[in-house]
Amino acid sequence: MAVLGLARPAAPLSDIEAAAFRPMANPGRFFWPVATGLAVTVIAGIAAFAYQFAQGLGVAGYSDQAFYGMYEANLVAFIGVSYGGALVSAVLRLSGATWRAPITRIAEAMALVSLLVGASFAIVHLGRPDRVLLLLTSGRLESPIIWDFAAITTYLFATLVFVYLPLIPDLARVRDRLPDRALRRRIYALGAAGWAGTPDQRRRLERAVGIVAVLIIPLAVSVHSVLGWTFSMTTRPGWHSTIFGPYFVIGALYSGVALVILVTAGFRKAYRLGPFIEARHFVLLGRIMAALGLAYLYLTFAELLTGAYTHTKEEASVLAALLEGRFAPAFWACILGGLIVPIILVAMPGRRPVPRLVIAAGLAVAGMWLKRLLIVLPSATQPLIGDDWGPIRVTWVPALITLAATAAIPLGLMVLFRLVPLLAIDEVEQESGRVATEEAT
Amino acid sequence: MMTFRGRLQLVGAAMALASLLLPSSIALGADPVGSAPGAAPPPTSVVLQARSTGDGSWRLEAQVFDAAGEAVAGGQVQFVATVDFLGRREVPIGAAQTNVSGRAVLDFSPTAGGVQHLVARAAGDDGRIAEGSLELDVGEASTAVRPAAPALPIVGQWAAPVAVLVVVTVWAVLAIVLVAGVAGIWRGRPKERSSPLSQFGSPAVPGLVSGREQEG
């Protein structure tokens, strides 16, 4: 099999290029079985959505007494994890953290794919998805749903730009390794925009990437703040809280960094990226994750304390259900398993940090998904008249759609890295050269 | 021969017996299918009408009649809107009880514009259902939610324009950065560019060849 479909003899590749091109040239014997399994799951989820579209939201367990559920939690959770990619790539770039270079491509791609999957839940949870265009034609600016729509689409555009710009030099490398008249070469050449690595081009690219990196941070903050305000701008007990904006942002960062750890570990193992993505990358990401976890624990405590202290009847009812009632087992499982245990695992010393940190990250992602469910369900099912709480019915429809969304993220990444290099080759070489120059001087 | 006192006693007894028998006869003469005294007779027809009350709202009036053409009082009427969405579906919009004139009234604020197909349905205790329908062109629908003005007038005046301005500005900046960046890179390309790797002719590709190439 020729390198990237190259018919003529191949040129020697550097180590980083060989690693970055590995999924494109030789994805491995597990690629097709795994991709097929994930694709089947995604298709099953689409079929479940088609069934729900025909039968109504009742088949997903929704009712007048339980008007929000798993889909709203998924919308927050899946968009939330995309912020981890923005943090790793943009924030660490601006703060000069050169260690992030080998993982930026994976983080940026993860941000894009999870954002696309998460945003789709805005349509899945509609009773009449065919009316979604009314948002554009009849939208009311006072509605937090419109703010959501504007924030998510803007953030999506920014993420697309932020993924594409640093990709230009690497697309040029792929272009240079393809036969002259191949259609693929023309496509990659179009994407590479004539990149040749001249100082002038490099300066323009760095300026553009820097501007977008600065822009994407407040955009990501705005998206998750608006997601939180969708709930807190109502007067429902449990939701009407001033802390929801920063609460959702910190939660997004925490779960996002955790997913970056998981995805990076997966691709590192699958494509033998150990020489480039070292244990220290995971340790540093783990520390960031732990710090964010502590911040989220604090905000959780502050929110519960405020609600418990003011003790309005309705607020007390939600808190009681959460802390000692029908939602208590899930709540304490989330606090212990999704927050405290991961922080402890990160803090533990040990020679082999990667497996420990992967477990911590997995617990964090699962715990934060459960936490989003616990933000949605208690307030949505609380009775405002009488004492009968709304029924919580988890049917096969939302379960299958959620599973399909979970499968769509690794599938999307696997497909993407069949088309573009897995590592930010140019960035890693630039950082290595810069470090070597600094060490020499 | 009966004395005057005897006749009085007889009349009193007759009146007492009548006072006992009369309600029973009324009860026995009522609908034999287990309905409570005073229940509505089975409806056989419903006439549905609508009139605009202004501000996008309508008053629906369903007149319910029985088989004799008499108005049915105290009957329950369900109002539904039917839509064609992957088949005919019904959306309940409310319910009302008929008054002594057999009329049930419901105030209806449609959330979708255009022609609405409305149905008023009355069911009797005998299981019979009568319904009347109406095609109603509501024109443009007004929203059911009328948000209150913000507490600060300046917020109400400037929040929406500022928000729109911010969003448009961000999109514009992103588009300019993308287009200007890519255009700048394109303009900065060398005029005669050859592949920097064209000098290499060796097939050696460390670390990336497949097993078959290695065996070859």
Side-chain angles (χ1 to χ4, degrees):
Chain A
M1 181 184 67
V3 174
L4 302 173
L6 193 63
R8 65 181 180 198
L13 295 166
S14 64
D15 290 343
I16 181 80
E17 284 175 326
F21 292 155
R22 203 164 286 145
M24 301 172 74
N26 185 11
R29 67 174 190 268
F30 292 114
F31 177 85
W32 286 111
V34 172
T36 304
L38 292 172
V40 166
T41 308
V42 171
I43 290 168
I46 295 171
F49 172 65
Y51 174 71
Q52 177 190 285
F53 186 73
Q55 300 299 322
L57 276 174
V59 300
Y62 284 68
S63 64
D64 287 343
Q65 293 78 32
F67 56 89
Y68 268 8
M70 200 178 284
Y71 295 146
E72 289 71 28
N74 289 344
L75 175 71
V76 177
F78 282 84
I79 292 180
V81 295
S82 76
Y83 199 6
L87 171 70
V88 168
S89 190
V91 175
L92 296 182
R93 174 192 298 271
L94 292 173
S95 61
T98 55
W99 59 268
R100 89 206 182 286
I103 58 176
T104 54
R105 181 64 44 75
I106 295 174
E108 287 161 7
M110 186 210 85
L112 178 63
V113 172
S114 57
L115 181 59
L116 286 169
V117 171
S120 68
F121 278 100
I123 296 178
V124 169
H125 90 107
L126 292 177
R128 288 290 299 269
D130 55 307
R131 290 179 176 173
V132 70
L133 287 177
L134 290 175
L135 275 176
L136 293 173
T137 58
S138 311
R140 298 178 63 95
L141 288 175
E142 301 90 346
S143 168
I145 304 292
I146 294 295
W147 310 347
D148 247 347
F149 177 73
I152 290 173
T153 51
T154 309
Y155 181 47
L156 179 61
F157 182 36
T159 304
L160 277 167
V161 174
F162 194 55
V163 168
Y164 169 62
L165 286 176
L167 198 51
I168 289 174
D170 297 339
L171 292 178
R173 289 183 188 243
V174 178
R175 172 201 64 196
D176 293 339
R177 298 209 173 266
L178 290 167
D180 282 333
R181 289 201 191 88
L183 175 62
R184 286 174 71 198
R185 183 189 171 98
R186 280 186 224 153
I187 295 172
Y188 282 99
L190 191 64
W195 178 266
T198 65
D200 182 53
Q201 287 180 323
R202 203 165 284 286
R203 186 174 43 82
R204 289 173 188 273
L205 180 66
E206 281 185 17
R207 187 166 62 200
V209 172
I211 293 171
V212 179
V214 168
L215 262 181
I216 209 167
I217 296 168
L219 277 176
V221 171
S222 73
V223 165
H224 303 297
S225 299
V226 167
L227 277 174
W229 292 337
T230 309
F231 295 94
S232 67
M233 294 298 174
T234 69
T235 53
R236 280 200 86 94
W239 285 348
H240 190 53
S241 169
T242 55
I243 211 173
F244 263 35
Y247 196 39
F248 274 52
V249 171
I250 298 295
L253 284 170
Y254 176 61
S255 57
V257 173
L259 191 63
V260 169
I261 291 174
L262 285 178
V263 170
T264 304
F267 279 93
R268 178 181 184 251
K269 177 88 175 167
Y271 294 112
R272 304 184 303 279
L273 301 177
F276 306 99
I277 302 176
E278 301 164 351
R280 69 182 177 101
H281 292 103
F282 291 92
V283 170
L284 290 166
L285 283 174
R287 286 178 189 164
I288 295 172
M289 188 183 80
L292 291 164
L294 284 168
Y296 193 77
L297 260 179
Y298 163 68
L299 290 174
T300 303
F301 171 73
E303 200 230 341
L304 292 175
L305 178 68
T306 310
Y309 195 80
T310 52
H311 200 70
T312 59
K313 177 170 166 269
E314 294 80 13
E315 194 74 39
S317 166
V318 171
L319 279 176
L322 202 57
L323 298 176
E324 57 191 14
R326 72 201 303 226
F327 300 104
F331 175 77
W332 292 112
C334 163
I335 295 297
L336 285 168
L339 286 165
I340 295 176
V341 169
I343 292 171
I344 293 173
L345 284 174
V346 169
M348 278 169 56
R351 277 193 202 164
R352 298 182 61 218
V354 177
R356 180 166 38 87
L357 290 167
V358 167
I359 293 171
L363 287 172
V365 170
M368 285 308 293
W369 179 82
L370 189 58
K371 185 65 175 61
R372 270 61 173 262
L373 210 52
L374 290 171
I375 288 173
V376 168
L377 283 178
S379 296
T381 56
Q382 185 204 24
L384 296 183
I385 299 172
D387 296 321
D388 293 328
W389 285 70
I392 300 171
R393 289 173 44 229
V394 180
T395 67
W396 64 271
V397 173
L400 187 52
I401 291 176
T402 302
L403 190 65
T406 309
I409 293 179
L411 178 64
L413 291 171
M414 288 169 71
V415 169
L416 187 62
F417 290 133
R418 285 280 286 159
L419 302 171
V420 301
L422 173 59
L423 298 172
I425 306 168
D426 190 72
E427 209 166 319
V428 172
E429 287 180 349
Q430 291 295 307
E431 293 300 333
S432 304
R434 197 171 296 158
V435 168
T437 305
E438 285 171 1
E439 285 174 355
T441 56
Chain B
M1 189 150 161
M2 197 177 282
T3 62
F4 179 72
R5 181 180 278 184
R7 290 195 190 108
L8 278 178
Q9 287 173 341
L10 186 62
V11 168
M15 286 175 70
L17 187 60
S19 68
L20 286 173
L21 288 175
L22 188 59
S24 305
S25 67
I26 291 173
L28 285 171
D31 191 326
V33 187
S35 55
T44 56
S45 66
V46 178
V47 175
L48 179 60
Q49 293 173 313
R51 59 184 175 85
S52 174
T53 58
D55 200 22
S57 295
W58 297 79
R59 175 152 291 177
L60 304 179
E61 295 178 354
Q63 183 75 49
V64 182
F65 300 99
D66 62 15
E70 300 293 326
V72 174
Q76 196 71 7
V77 176
Q78 302 284 339
F79 295 84
V80 299
T82 61
V83 293
D84 280 317
F85 180 68
L86 301 177
R88 188 169 182 257
R89 297 167 187 268
E90 291 185 349
V91 179
I93 55 175
Q97 196 169 43
T98 54
N99 59 13
V100 292
S101 306
R103 184 177 295 130
V105 174
L106 180 76
D107 287 324
F108 171 51
S109 296
T111 54
V115 177
Q116 311 281 313
H117 184 75
L118 304 173
V119 174
R121 194 172 286 137
D125 292 330
D126 59 351
R128 271 181 290 181
I129 295 174
E131 63 178 51
S133 62
L134 175 68
E135 299 277 337
L136 178 64
D137 188 352
V138 301
E140 281 199 17
S142 64
T143 176
V145 175
R146 289 171 182 80
L152 293 173
I154 195 170
V155 171
Q157 189 181 0
W158 289 104
V162 168
V164 169
L165 186 63
V166 167
V167 171
V168 168
T169 302
V170 170
W171 275 80
V173 168
L174 286 169
I176 289 169
V177 167
L178 175 65
V179 170
V182 172
I185 290 169
W186 177 256
R187 276 198 303 270
R189 73 193 189 284
K191 290 302 174 225
E192 281 185 11
R193 187 187 61 78
S194 61
S195 168
L197 302 168
S198 59
Q199 58 184 303
F200 296 108
S202 165
V205 181
L208 200 58
V209 296
S210 70
R212 273 182 287 161
E213 281 182 309
Q214 284 178 335
E215 286 165 16

